[in-house]
Amino acid sequence: MEKNIAIIFAGGTGQRFGAEIPKQFIKIYGKEIIIQTLEKFQNHPEIDEIYIGCIDEWIPFLEHLLDKYNITKVPKNGIVGGGNTGQDTIYKILSKARENNSDNSIVLINDGV
């Protein structure tokens, strides 16, 4: 079945940003930046699924946020650990989305921050 899939790249460490935590998890206006991004796709009627690339050690926290903010379009295996580079991470996310979907699905790639 053809789906519209959002790929969210949120695997950066934010070193250049200078914060103690990755910038995608910093709160702005009381909500994490990654959640503000995900809510746009969650609420869009034409997006069927969301896959996210995330730093391995931050995956449990991201899973907590998905539950807390009721982000339901991320499938159970939809959070993918990061690769050695941003390009590697995007490839890993695309590969996971391909495992679960048909080849004629449409994919949008968006930076998580």
Side-chain angles (χ1 to χ4, degrees):
M1 180 174 119
E2 180 179 306
K3 292 182 182 176
N4 294 321
I5 301 167
I7 301 290
I8 308 298
F9 174 66
T13 60
Q15 290 177 350
R16 291 177 295 171
F17 191 69
E20 294 180 16
I21 64 173
K23 62 185 172 184
Q24 59 269 31
F25 297 112
I26 292 173
K27 287 186 178 183
I28 295 182
Y29 299 115
K31 194 178 290 185
E32 293 80 1
I33 294 171
I34 186 66
I35 293 300
Q36 293 183 38
T37 299
L38 290 170
E39 285 179 335
K40 301 298 183 212
F41 292 98
Q42 174 70 31
N43 296 326
H44 197 291
E46 293 187 37
I47 296 297
D48 300 305
E49 286 186 347
I50 304 168
Y51 289 81
I52 310 164
C54 184
I55 303 166
D56 290 329
E57 55 268 15
W58 284 87
I59 290 175
F61 183 68
L62 179 55
E63 290 172 335
H64 164 74
L65 292 178
L66 296 180
D67 288 339
K68 178 180 177 180
Y69 291 102
N70 199 31
I71 306 296
T72 59
K73 290 185 180 180
V74 179
K76 289 290 181 200
N77 62 351
I79 302 175
V80 179
N84 293 328
T85 66
Q87 187 174 7
D88 289 341
T89 301
I90 291 171
Y91 179 77
K92 287 177 70 174
I93 306 166
L94 286 168
S95 296
K96 180 57 69 176
R98 186 173 189 204
E99 286 176 18
N100 299 332
N101 293 283
S102 68
D103 286 343
N104 62 343
S105 293
I106 297 171
V107 176
L108 297 95
I109 300 176
N110 191 80
D111 189 286
V113 179

